[in-house]
Amino acid sequence: MKRILVTGGLGFIGSHTVVELQNTGFNVVIIDDLSNSKIEVLDNITEITGKRPDFHQIDLRIKKDVQAFFDNHHIDGIIHFAAFKAVGESVQKPLEYYENNIGSLVYLLQEMRNRNIDHFIFSSSCTVYGQADELPITENAPTKPATSPYGNTKQIGEEIIRGTCKANGLNAIALRYFNPIGAHESVKIGELPLGVPQNLIPYITQTAAGIREQLSIFGDDYDTPDGTAIRDYIHVVDLANAHIAALQRLIDKKNLNNFEYFNVGTGKGSSVLEIVKTFESATNQKLNYKIVDRREGDITAAYADTTIANKELNWKTEKTLEEALQSAWLWQKKQQTS
Ligand code: UD1
């Protein structure tokens, strides 16, 4: 069976993808620098799958360490999650974001080229579309200038991969994620935000758990039915499975171009208020919230047209929003007790 390197494999999306890869029969090697993850996740992946993935603590910014890893390991494909991802922080620390997100990508691609390793899956984001002119967003929607260094690293990352595919014959797929939420049904892995959560769902679950006093809803004067902003929230396990589908497409040589990109969402938009209401009904919790000003940089609405991803990847989402929010809540409660 193919041996797949998962960078950032102990992180939120990475850990769920490692579980699905192992359950599908792939051999997995994880590289993670533990900068935004915990080593315990390795034990939890092992408990879920019955198999301990090979793990290496490596900082991908250190080129000689990346080279040494590839000197010692045979790899058939790479799923590259390892990156910094906080939008606000990226505005404060642009150089750290460019060094980490772009530097590590370049080093990995160099090793792939030098050693003839094919099959590369890249974590991209729907942020590349900015506020799209038409909804739902198809892959044909134009990309817009990035509004943060984080977003820019995703756009530049895609361009670097596109150029490498063209010049060196590498086959790659970028997955443009919408908003990943939820946790594995085993409640052994989930999202572990550091400090005060910036994203909506962890803020909601921490508020329901009493860690935060109140959720602030950023703006109710958007041009949407209830005035709050609309996003496409996808269960992280569905998102993880999109990676398996993309990898299999490359292995089976079913890709139509060297470099492809797909929207990975549910196709359904939910407003912040709808999320709050659905969370309350799905978990039987009352949520304390208030409306505050808009958050700078936020867009009005983004949700995916999944037609192309469904067809080309032979993949579709299977979990409901209720299931995703329930799993996020179970995961939150587990954090309090463990
Ligand atoms: C954000 C990033 C996106 C990144 C994604 C990673 C921005 C502009 N975009 O997406 O690039 O890929 O995270 O998960 O930061 N909200 C509240 N109160 C809160 C938190 C959020 O009302 O306390 C609202 C936001 O205004 C937004 C929605 O909830 O309308 C979702 O926010 P969030 O979870 O931060 O995701 P995005 O902003 O969509």
Side-chain angles (χ1 to χ4, degrees), residues 59-96:
D59 182 338
L60 294 169
R61 287 170 294 195
I62 303 172
K63 185 170 181 163
K64 67 172 177 30
D65 290 356
V66 179
Q67 288 173 327
F69 169 83
F70 282 95
D71 283 341
N72 292 311
H73 295 85
H74 172 81
I75 296 295
D76 296 304
I78 300 179
I79 304 183
H80 180 44
F81 293 104
F84 293 154
K85 62 171 186 180
V87 176
E89 184 186 60
S90 79
V91 178
Q92 308 302 322
K93 301 180 178 174
L95 293 177
E96 281 79 358

Side-chain angles (χ1 to χ4, degrees), residues 87 125 127 150 179-180 198-200 203 215-218 229 231 233 272 295 297-298:
V87 176
S125 168
T127 193
Y150 159 76
N179 292 56
Q198 305 299 312
N199 294 117
L200 179 63
Y203 207 101
L215 168 74
S216 294
I217 295 184
F218 299 138
R231 298 287 185 274
Y233 297 90
V272 179
R295 180 171 69 179
D298 273 354

Side-chain angles (χ1 to χ4, degrees), residues 27-47:
N27 288 321
V28 176
V29 187
I30 294 174
I31 287 182
D32 199 300
D33 67 358
L34 301 178
S35 63
N36 193 19
S37 59
K38 294 202 171 131
I39 191 65
E40 290 78 36
V41 175
L42 192 60
D43 295 331
N44 299 336
I45 291 171
T46 309
E47 280 180 32

Side-chain angles (χ1 to χ4, degrees), residues 136-137 139 232 263-267 304-311 315:
I137 302 172
E139 284 80 352
D232 184 339
N263 288 347
V264 187
T266 67
D305 184 324
T306 61
T307 314
I308 294 178
N310 292 160
K311 174 170 176 278
W315 159 91

